[in-house]
Amino acid sequence: MESVMSKYENQIIIFTEYLEEFPDTDELVWILGKPHLLKTEKSKLLSDISARLWFTYRRKFSPIGGTGPSSDAGWGCMLRCGQMMLAQALICRHLGRDWNWERQKEQPKEYQRILQCFLDRKDCCYSIHQMAQMGVGEGKSIGEWFGPNTVAQVIKKLALFDEWNSLAVYVSMDNTVVIEDIKKMCCVLPVGAADTAGESPPDSLIASSQSKGTSAPCLAWKPLLLIVPLRLGINQINPVYIEAFKECFKMPQSLGALGGKPNNAYYFIGSLGDELIFLDPHTTQTFVDTEESGLVDDHTFHCLQSPQRMSILNLDPSVALEILKENLRMFELVQKHPSHWPPFVPPAKPEVTTTGAEFIDSTEQLEDFDLEEDFEILSV
């Protein structure tokens, strides 16, 4: 393990101005649902890209589990991509998609709180410590590379302990998204909901009663993070899916895609023609903690390098998306839970004596979670 980490320790990239030029084209660049015209909006495009939270390998944090690794260089790239995707979801939830980051400018308190969710400490709910230790329940040893589906399952379970963001995380199976199951996850029913089933709440706040098949009003509606693991080919992406995949980055609800192979994972955030734009976690930086002021120095959490691109044909065919659109045909959208599937039970936080991220101090406390099937390579 030490030899693997030392290989990556010196891969520190010096931040410079954007060096790589985009091609001279009239095509729109799409970044997470927002279009940019290169010829007239290049600075706005680059600002939009640099505003995304960028999580990379880190070193010199406290050992995971007390005796584990103090750097995730060489094995944590997919975990970092999962953090970036989740951070974008939280930014959309609290600040909106149009929020933008400017260096040296005071940011909203919600921004700092989101950033602190991902610091490399065991008491931060989505830290590398929490994700790596929760991965043990998915059959992954600490220090072992995760596939994107494993990361999706870990996020789904850690979100149960995150009361501030209160996300409902749905990971589809068998290329099928079930609307009925999503409603059960997102709708928070009030106490005694069965007694008020005869009332007429708004259509957006209706959920099917699990016991009697009747409708009951929701007390609240949780924001949904939808992750769809897909395989769009065998050894490489099937060209018939290319246009549909590119459409994903045009949806205003899009959070992008995760993809990659061991030691080579990326967070895809946009497209230009037949190229994908991505954030690369393969840079090792020193651990950053909260300062005495209670704030986090965030300049290393935003990528000020040239945006990186790759041909969509080089994308691994296993991907997982956070989008929902009926005409894509990359996955199936159904209203009712398939009768041949096991009954759907919304995930619930296990009974523990502490709450939040603190509950995962050792792998012994992971026994309340069931192991789930893992895909080796996917995208979110």
Side-chain angles (χ1 to χ4, degrees):
M1 178 61 71
E2 291 299 326
S3 62
V4 173
M5 290 182 181
S6 62
K7 176 182 177 182
Y8 292 88
E9 283 292 341
N10 295 321
Q11 292 188 3
I12 306 296
I13 296 179
I14 304 300
F15 297 138
T16 62
E17 296 297 321
Y18 292 98
L19 300 177
E20 182 181 348
E21 289 295 324
F22 280 99
D24 186 13
T25 177
D26 291 325
E27 289 189 85
L28 287 174
V29 180
W30 287 91
I31 302 294
L32 299 174
K34 292 188 69 173
H36 298 279
L37 187 60
L38 267 179
K39 288 191 174 181
T40 60
E41 300 178 333
K42 184 175 180 181
S43 60
K44 186 178 177 181
L45 165 66
L46 298 180
S47 177
D48 193 16
I49 294 173
S50 66
R52 302 314 108 211
L53 280 173
W54 180 49
F55 297 118
T56 71
Y57 291 148
R58 294 277 174 173
R59 59 181 175 180
K60 297 184 179 180
F61 49 70
S62 62
I64 298 176
T67 58
S70 57
S71 171
D72 63 313
W75 59 272
C77 55
M78 187 61 80
L79 292 176
R80 297 302 185 179
C81 289
Q83 287 180 324
M84 287 189 270
M85 177 273 298
L86 180 56
Q88 179 60 23
L90 301 186
I91 284 176
C92 289
R93 165 149 170 56
H94 295 287
L95 302 175
R97 175 62 183 88
D98 292 332
W99 170 83
N100 208 357
W101 173 83
E102 293 182 35
R103 192 172 186 177
Q104 308 281 330
K105 181 180 178 181
E106 184 178 354
Q107 301 297 335
K109 61 181 181 180
E110 292 87 355
Y111 166 78
Q112 279 286 329
R113 190 168 179 181
I114 291 169
L115 186 55
Q116 290 177 19
C117 289
F118 298 92
L119 295 182
D120 299 317
R121 302 188 329 221
K122 72 174 184 178
D123 59 341
C124 296
C125 55
Y126 300 115
S127 67
I128 193 74
H129 298 67
Q130 294 296 328
M131 297 185 78
Q133 290 196 269
M134 186 63 83
V136 175
E138 295 295 316
K140 294 290 185 179
S141 301
I142 294 175
E144 184 178 357
W145 190 83
F146 285 32
N149 189 65
T150 307
V151 171
Q153 300 296 342
V154 164
I155 290 173
K156 180 176 74 172
K157 291 174 179 177
L158 287 177
L160 299 173
F161 299 89
D162 179 10
E163 295 182 1
W164 176 55
N165 293 298
S166 188
L167 286 180
V169 181
Y170 179 91
V171 182
S172 70
M173 56 183 275
D174 295 340
N175 289 2
T176 303
V177 174
V178 183
I179 300 298
E180 181 182 39
D181 296 346
I182 288 176
K183 288 182 176 180
K184 290 179 180 179
M185 288 185 65
C186 292
C187 183
V188 180
L189 295 175
V191 177
D195 298 332
T196 60
E199 298 178 5
S200 300
D203 290 342
S204 60
L205 296 180
I206 293 290
S208 297
S209 169
Q210 297 181 36
S211 58
K212 299 183 180 180
T214 58
S215 294
C218 285
L219 181 65
W221 187 263
K222 288 187 176 183
L224 172 68
L225 172 55
L226 172 63
I227 304 176
V228 186
L230 297 171
R231 187 164 190 89
L232 305 179
I234 300 177
N235 296 319
Q236 63 182 29
I237 187 170
N238 190 322
V240 301
Y241 293 117
I242 288 179
E243 292 305 314
F245 187 74
K246 285 159 48 177
E247 284 293 313
C248 299
F249 297 102
K250 299 179 182 180
M251 299 183 61
Q253 304 92 342
S254 174
L255 297 175
L258 304 185
K261 302 174 182 179
N263 303 325
N264 197 26
Y266 303 114
Y267 175 40
F268 297 97
I269 60 172
S271 66
L272 168 61
D274 287 334
E275 293 183 330
L276 300 177
I277 299 170
F278 62 91
L279 295 179
D280 186 352
H282 301 92
T283 294
T284 306
Q285 304 185 86
T286 302
F287 161 65
V288 173
D289 203 351
T290 306
E291 298 178 342
E292 290 185 6
S293 64
L295 301 179
V296 178
D297 184 352
D298 66 348
H299 76 277
T300 64
F301 292 99
H302 292 272
C303 185
L304 304 180
Q305 305 164 232
S306 171
Q308 299 196 55
R309 309 192 305 274
M310 65 177 283
S311 169
I312 195 170
L313 291 174
N314 293 331
L315 178 71
D316 191 275
S318 295
V319 296
L321 306 167
E322 297 79 43
I323 51 172
L324 185 58
K325 194 171 183 180
E326 293 189 54
N327 61 356
L328 293 182
R329 301 303 179 193
M330 292 189 295
F331 57 89
E332 181 145 11
L333 186 66
V334 299
Q335 290 292 332
K336 297 293 184 180
H337 187 86
S339 58
H340 61 282
W341 282 13
F344 177 77
V345 179
K349 184 168 62 175
E351 294 296 328
V352 292
T353 55
T354 59
T355 59
E358 296 176 349
F359 100 99
I360 317 176
D361 278 334
S362 71
T363 56
E364 294 177 359
Q365 292 173 290
L366 297 172
E367 296 177 356
D368 289 322
F369 288 116
D370 295 328
L371 288 174
E372 299 196 30
E373 182 180 1
D374 175 44
F375 295 82
E376 284 303 314
I377 310 167
L378 290 174
S379 311
V380 184

